[in-house]
């Protein structure tokens, strides 16, 4: 199974995920990114910097598989994703 890395971009800063997660497919990576963002917003609050942040999910080769804006994670519209993945 592929390994996905969940890197967080806040403005010009990129916080790298050195370990990643082994997941079945990009859809599972999307679900995990959404859960991670929601947990961060719950614990750290929804301030301006975090609301403008994005999780960049990359594969083993460093290619971006999907980009998940934090603002999308707070929208509760299942099946209505605007993220291209």
């Amino acid at each position: 199974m592929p390994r996905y890395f969940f890197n967080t971009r806040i403005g010009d800063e990129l916080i790298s995920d050195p370990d990643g997660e082994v997941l079945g497919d990009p859809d599972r990576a999307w679900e995990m990114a959404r859960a991670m963002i929601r947990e961060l917003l719950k614990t750290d609050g929804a301030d301006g910097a975090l609301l403008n942040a994005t999780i960049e999910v990359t594969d083993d080769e460093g290619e971006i598989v999907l980009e998940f804006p934090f603002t999308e994670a707070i929208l509760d519209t299942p099946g209505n994703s605007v993220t291209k993945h």
Side-chain angles (χ1 to χ4, degrees), residues 42-83:
K42 187 188 319 180
T43 58
D44 293 352
D47 70 14
L50 277 182
L51 287 178
N52 291 315
T54 301
I55 286 189
E56 295 177 356
V57 181
T58 58
D59 60 16
D60 283 327
E61 297 171 8
E63 296 295 321
I64 295 177
V65 176
L66 65 95
E67 295 177 320
F68 201 127
F70 274 46
T71 52
E72 184 180 333
I74 61 175
L75 301 175
D76 267 331
T77 53
N80 221 5
S81 173
V82 294
T83 301

Side-chain angles (χ1 to χ4, degrees), residues 1-31:
M1 281 202 276
R3 181 174 296 271
Y4 296 95
F5 298 86
F6 297 82
N7 308 302
T8 305
R9 181 170 300 281
I10 303 173
D12 292 333
E13 181 182 3
L14 182 66
I15 303 166
S16 296
D17 172 8
D19 302 320
E21 296 286 333
V22 176
L23 301 168
D25 57 40
D27 287 335
R28 181 67 183 112
W30 182 92
E31 292 167 2

Side-chain angles (χ1 to χ4, degrees), residues 30 32 38-39 42 73:
W30 182 92
M32 180 167 254
R38 292 181 134 221
E39 187 60 31
K42 187 188 319 180

